[in-house]
Amino acid sequence: MNLSDNRATRGLPRVALITCTELPELDPDDRLLAAALAQRGVVVEPRIWDDPTVDWAGYPLAVLRSPWDYPTRRAEFVAWAATVPGLANPADLVRWNTDKRYLRDLAAAGIPTVPTEWLAPDREWHPPQTGEYVIKPAVGAGSLDAGRYDLADPEHRRLAVAHVERLRAAGRHTMVQPYLRAVETAGETALLFFAGPAGLAFSHGIRKGPMLDGPDHGVEGLSRPEQISPRVPAGAELAVAEQVLAVLPGGPGRPLYARVDLIPGPDGAPIVIEVELTEPSLFLAHGPGAAGRLADAILARLG
């Protein structure tokens, strides 16, 4: 996939697609993007984010795609991002978005978000006596280190407390959220946006099925398995996503891409689970023409 050694590509624009050691040839979905860029005359080079031999200044654009090993090394990752001149999305968005405490900013702006109890590493947790809850780290990816607990069950209560203690011992901030049963029926809706002439433009949507079936017992690899299918978002979902994009740091014209994840709340209205600006799966295979749209957005940035 690295085309830079071919003399025929000399003088063509170069783009780094940033990945991690476990995915040196990119995630399969991002290979669709690489192919679409190559068709447009762009030299595509997968690059591992923490490879000290990479000359990041040599790329007019370096696009974050699958650096999914950063959550336990966030400080290093954020510091690295600040050294990459042509990073998309920009380093200050990476800093803001890689800690899910950004949800507090969205809530303060009047955007509906999942109610969350935030636990600093030095704070003990006293769980409710009943109710189903999700526990996960504030810095995380791929639904790793996340679990679902029924606190009326003594064993689940024990495991939930142990989960929080495990994150605290590692110096990580913890999120405790009510489990929203709508994930089992409606599922999550992810809305994908790519940069266009007038800012971020809607590209496509997908449905994601439930991923957490019980307490966290660890997962092999970089992420949990996902159940993905295409979805046309409802008008109310698009409206909430547009609210989110409007309040992004620096405005909606800066990101190359954005993903807004929603789920129906108790009253059926959409609420925000996450906003992905750093390294989201973009589900290009599930949106006809999506890889080409993102490639065109990259080409415009290179222009």
Side-chain angles (χ1 to χ4, degrees):
M1 192 178 296
N2 185 337
L3 305 179
S4 62
D5 296 330
N6 188 332
R7 292 183 181 180
T9 65
R10 289 180 182 173
L12 296 178
R14 298 167 67 220
V15 167
L17 296 185
I18 301 170
T19 183
C20 61
T21 301
E22 291 87 343
L23 293 168
E25 294 300 321
L26 301 175
D27 176 74
D29 206 48
D30 290 324
R31 294 174 200 163
L32 299 175
L33 172 60
L37 285 167
Q39 290 169 0
R40 287 158 173 77
V42 177
V43 178
V44 179
E45 300 181 358
R47 288 290 182 252
I48 295 169
W49 73 269
D50 57 351
D51 180 349
T53 68
V54 177
D55 175 18
W56 297 106
Y59 292 98
L61 192 63
V63 181
L64 285 160
R65 288 310 317 124
S66 49
W68 293 330
D69 59 355
Y70 80 84
T72 58
R73 304 158 59 196
R74 177 178 176 265
E76 178 185 350
F77 182 69
V78 168
W80 162 81
T83 70
V84 183
L87 190 66
N89 284 333
D92 64 302
L93 285 182
V94 169
R95 185 185 312 108
W96 180 79
N97 187 238
T98 48
D99 187 325
K100 292 182 179 63
R101 285 178 287 179
Y102 67 77
L103 290 170
R104 298 187 297 193
D105 297 337
L106 300 184
I111 294 170
T113 61
V114 179
T116 305
E117 183 180 6
W118 303 94
L119 304 175
D122 61 353
R123 180 183 162 193
E124 292 187 6
W125 182 52
H126 302 286
Q129 295 297 312
T130 60
E132 287 188 278
Y133 289 85
V134 170
I135 294 171
K136 58 186 178 183
V139 178
S143 294
L144 299 184
D145 299 312
R148 168 186 162 195
Y149 301 90
D150 180 356
L151 297 183
D153 181 320
E155 179 62 9
H156 273 227
R157 284 178 63 81
R158 183 187 70 80
L159 291 172
V161 170
H163 188 166
V164 171
E165 289 303 309
R166 188 163 64 249
L167 294 174
R168 287 182 61 207
R172 304 174 76 178
H173 286 75
T174 302
M175 307 168 64
V176 181
Q177 298 176 322
Y179 177 69
L180 298 177
R181 286 202 164 273
V183 73
E184 299 174 8
T185 51
E188 298 179 22
T189 300
L191 295 88
L192 289 304
F193 296 83
F194 302 148
L200 287 167
F202 177 70
S203 169
H204 60 289
I206 61 97
R207 176 192 186 275
K208 185 187 296 186
M211 299 176 66
L212 300 179
D213 56 4
D216 176 39
H217 296 295
V219 176
E220 293 292 330
L222 293 170
S223 64
R224 292 177 184 267
E226 296 180 320
Q227 306 169 35
I228 305 298
S229 58
R231 166 172 279 175
V232 177
E237 292 173 320
L238 281 165
V240 171
E242 293 287 353
Q243 281 183 272
V244 170
L245 301 181
V247 300
L248 294 181
R254 298 182 67 220
L256 175 66
Y257 51 78
R259 194 182 95 197
V260 181
D261 295 350
L262 306 171
I263 192 170
D267 62 355
I271 58 178
V272 176
I273 305 172
E274 291 185 8
V275 179
E276 298 273 10
L277 301 173
T278 303
E279 33 57 53
S281 294
L282 297 175
F283 308 113
L284 300 177
H286 295 275
R293 287 190 290 275
L294 181 53
D296 287 340
I298 289 173
L299 204 59
R301 290 285 171 101
L302 289 168

